[in-house]
């Protein structure tokens, strides 16, 4: 686990939390493709947020589960991890 959440880790979380198999290379090459196109709904994203909060021991911003794309989500999560906010 790195200090920054990667596309590979996000793909693993999508697999474990929502049962979705997503190619992290594809997701990284098209980071603005909507989560809905991968089959991830808001409830699945909420589960990923909860898993990350448990992993890192602190909350993510309240709007983390409203992110629409992998880029938006990773930017928000990684900014939060760096700042500790």
């Amino acid at each position: 686990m790195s200090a920054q959440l990667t596309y590979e880790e996000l793909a693993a979380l999508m697999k474990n939390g929502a049962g979705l198999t997503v190619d992290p290379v594809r997701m990284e090459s098209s980071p603005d493709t909507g989560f809905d196109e991968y089959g991830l709904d808001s409830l699945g994203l909420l589960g990923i947020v909860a898993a990350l909060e448990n992993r890192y021991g602190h909350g993510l911003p309240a709007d983390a589960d409203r992110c629409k794309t992998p880029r938006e989500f990773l930017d928000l999560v990684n900014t939060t991890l760096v700042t500790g906010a």
Side-chain angles (χ1 to χ4, degrees):
M1 181 175 65
S2 64
Q4 297 266 308
L5 187 67
T6 65
Y7 286 95
E8 187 172 317
E9 291 169 316
L10 179 56
L13 286 165
M14 290 170 73
K15 174 73 171 174
N16 295 334
L20 300 171
T21 301
V22 177
D23 179 3
V25 173
R26 177 178 169 237
M27 192 167 29
E28 187 169 8
S29 68
S30 301
D32 295 316
T33 298
F35 280 128
D36 57 336
E37 292 188 39
Y38 294 110
L40 186 68
D41 60 14
S42 60
L43 187 58
L45 190 55
L46 189 59
I48 291 170
V49 169
L52 290 171
E53 288 175 339
N54 288 335
R55 178 188 291 181
Y56 294 110
H58 61 80
L60 293 174
D63 59 348
D65 63 326
R66 293 190 202 117
C67 291
K68 301 294 183 201
T69 67
R71 180 195 312 264
E72 183 182 4
F73 185 73
L74 289 176
D75 286 349
L76 180 69
V77 169
N78 288 331
T79 297
T80 301
L81 294 177
V82 168
T83 63

